[in-house]
Amino acid sequence: MSLGALQPVRAADSGFTQFIASLWPEAQAAGVPRAVFEAETRGLEPDYKLPDLILPGRPATGAPSQAEFVQVPADYVKEASIARLAAEGQRLMAKHRATLGAIETRFGVPGSVVLAIWGRETDYGRHRLPYDGLRVLATQAWVGRRKEQYRVEFIQALKLIGDGEVTRKDLRSSWAGATGLTQFLPSELGKHGIDLDGDGRRDIWHSVPDALASAAQQLVNKGWQPGLRWAYEVRAPANADCTMGVPEVTKPIGQWLREGFVPVRGQKLSATEQAQPASLLQPEGIYGPAFLTTKNYFVIKEYNFSDLYVLFVGHLADRIVSPHPFATPWSAQTQLRTTSVEAMQRHLTRIGLYSDKVDGKAGMKTRAALGAYQKSAGLKVDCWPSEAVLRSIGAAR
């Protein structure tokens, strides 16, 4: 590589060094000791290989296609993975029985739910997080798409180090800066962290009690309701309207049942359960399993904004305490490419059926808007983004 080719990177790195130095007043105001700031930022370099960066003179890297948003449910909520994690979860349930009992008593969150989050996030701690967390946060604050958010996270990470909650060596993270057994951003640990084992630190990196209690506290702070299931699997009636499957359409579970939705395996719901409001979720449109999702479904979704993530965590939590797989099998074999879903979303926006983000992710609102388009175009209404619907939309432009 010629010397000239290195110049822009060097200039950028010099800008990075100045940018990090400029954060000292904010770090000081947050309570970061000067010595910690100097020690941890000395020699810090950006990592331009990270995804989701905006680099001058280079194509936008974009976030990687997260499995939650591009895989069909059968591939993401894979039975073999669920079965393996459920078996391990049962072993850990016995091993950490006292801790999980204390968490359930204090927070009202079942032990199986926090175990399922731990299992999904880091395979119960077996997955080694690949990045230097401080470097990730600094890079994202410098040239990421969400600079202001990561500027706060970088300073919060320095504060965690300064407060003795974690060492730089242990602050390993994902490409997006989430860290610890249960994958928290530093500011989330500040808001929700719990020192359950009483050693004076909220150690979500090594202490299973702290990590699981912190996950429970985060759910509680986001609205978790004790004693409420996350969802009920149901069989939808033949005349069910899949365009109703959006969070805004809620009815008491009893009303859904009167409209022909039937709990699987002959499950009987109490009067209290039937009084709870719920939304309809059909991850594969009219194909595959259907669910009536409660408030707690959306609380888990605050942990990761993906329906498949919540399905994975909720189902894994169920499987830790019960052997039953989904009663209805998944059926979709392929998912449209992100660019194709984006094209659909843009068209649905233009014709006034969709008003959410154009992000290439076929979530609840996209599927419902697609169903509304199918109705208006006289197509089969299945709320599933297929090649046939894409062709119809292309012809309609």
Side-chain angles (χ1 to χ4, degrees):
M1 184 183 283
S2 71
L3 187 60
L6 286 170
Q7 291 306 113
V9 173
R10 284 190 179 155
D13 286 358
S14 140
F16 173 79
T17 303
Q18 290 169 7
F19 165 70
I20 294 299
S22 77
L23 297 179
W24 164 242
E26 287 171 60
Q28 183 181 33
V32 178
R34 181 79 202 193
V36 169
F37 186 86
E38 294 291 348
E40 299 303 340
T41 61
R42 191 179 301 120
L44 189 62
E45 294 181 348
D47 181 354
Y48 293 129
K49 294 192 183 72
L50 291 174
D52 222 19
L53 305 181
I54 301 171
L55 298 169
R58 300 193 207 175
T61 55
S65 295
Q66 287 175 262
E68 289 92 341
F69 298 110
V70 296
Q71 288 184 347
V72 293
D75 288 341
Y76 184 80
V77 192
K78 201 184 283 286
E79 174 56 26
S81 300
I82 293 283
R84 178 183 68 79
L85 288 168
E88 179 66 4
Q90 287 160 3
R91 189 185 71 75
L92 291 167
M93 179 82 90
K95 179 179 177 182
H96 298 289
R97 191 169 301 285
T99 292
L100 294 167
I103 287 171
E104 188 153 359
T105 300
R106 179 169 166 182
F107 301 104
V109 180
S112 57
V113 170
V114 289
L115 280 176
I117 288 173
W118 182 22
R120 176 65 210 137
E121 293 292 356
T122 59
D123 196 2
Y124 303 118
R126 277 190 285 257
H127 171 63
R128 176 165 164 75
L129 295 162
Y131 296 102
D132 170 354
L134 204 63
R135 188 182 184 200
V136 165
L137 297 170
T139 306
Q140 294 286 3
W142 165 235
V143 286
R145 290 173 184 272
R146 294 172 285 163
K147 291 180 183 180
E148 289 309 310
Q149 177 190 347
Y150 279 103
R151 183 185 183 114
V152 171
E153 297 300 345
F154 175 69
I155 288 166
Q156 287 301 308
L158 288 171
K159 181 162 170 52
L160 290 177
I161 294 170
D163 290 348
E165 305 243 39
V166 65
T167 63
R168 171 75 174 277
K169 177 171 158 292
D170 285 338
L171 192 66
R172 306 294 301 173
S173 80
S174 68
W175 66 264
T179 185
L181 297 172
T182 42
Q183 288 284 272
F184 276 45
L185 286 167
S187 66
E188 290 172 338
L189 186 63
K191 289 181 209 155
H192 315 301
I194 297 289
D195 172 24
L196 194 69
D197 63 16
D199 69 351
R201 295 165 56 218
R202 299 168 299 176
D203 183 3
I204 61 170
W205 300 272
H206 306 102
S207 167
V208 171
D210 289 5
L212 298 185
S214 297
Q217 179 70 76
Q218 182 170 171
L219 293 174
V220 168
N221 287 350
K222 289 176 175 176
W224 183 268
Q225 293 184 10
L228 183 64
R229 282 183 51 79
W230 65 281
Y232 296 86
E233 187 184 350
V234 291
R235 295 198 195 283
N239 64 347
D241 182 351
C242 58
T243 65
M244 302 284 280
V246 287
E248 293 78 12
V249 177
T250 63
K251 307 177 193 179
I253 288 174
Q255 188 176 334
W256 288 109
L257 301 188
R258 286 191 292 278
E259 291 173 9
F261 290 82
V262 180
V264 299
R265 298 192 181 91
Q267 189 179 7
K268 301 295 180 205
L269 275 56
S270 69
T272 304
E273 288 175 302
Q274 292 197 38
Q276 287 291 344
S279 303
L280 174 63
L281 170 67
Q282 293 176 293
E284 293 185 333
I286 65 171
Y287 316 107
F291 305 88
L292 297 178
T293 60
T294 70
K295 167 80 186 298
N296 282 350
Y297 175 94
F298 295 97
V299 172
I300 299 173
K301 196 168 179 177
E302 292 276 324
Y303 218 99
N304 180 313
F305 199 74
S306 153
D307 292 319
L308 289 186
Y309 176 89
V310 187
L311 275 176
F312 191 108
V313 166
H315 185 51
L316 176 55
D318 289 348
R319 289 287 287 276
I320 289 172
V321 295
S322 158
H324 298 301
F326 292 120
T328 302
W330 300 106
S331 64
Q333 302 303 309
T334 56
Q335 175 76 283
L336 286 180
R337 286 179 317 205
T338 300
T339 50
S340 297
V341 177
E342 282 178 354
M344 276 185 179
Q345 289 171 328
R346 277 193 290 271
H347 181 72
L348 294 168
T349 301
R350 275 197 301 274
I351 62 176
L353 294 176
Y354 181 71
S355 58
D356 213 32
K357 285 187 293 192
V358 174
D359 57 8
K361 298 164 184 174
M364 278 182 175
K365 293 186 177 182
T366 300
R367 292 194 302 271
L370 199 56
Y373 168 79
Q374 290 170 321
K375 275 185 188 177
S376 68
L379 301 173
K380 178 183 179 180
V381 181
D382 65 4
C383 300
W384 181 249
S386 65
E387 289 289 351
V389 187
L390 189 61
R391 282 195 297 276
S392 169
I393 285 176
R397 280 183 202 164

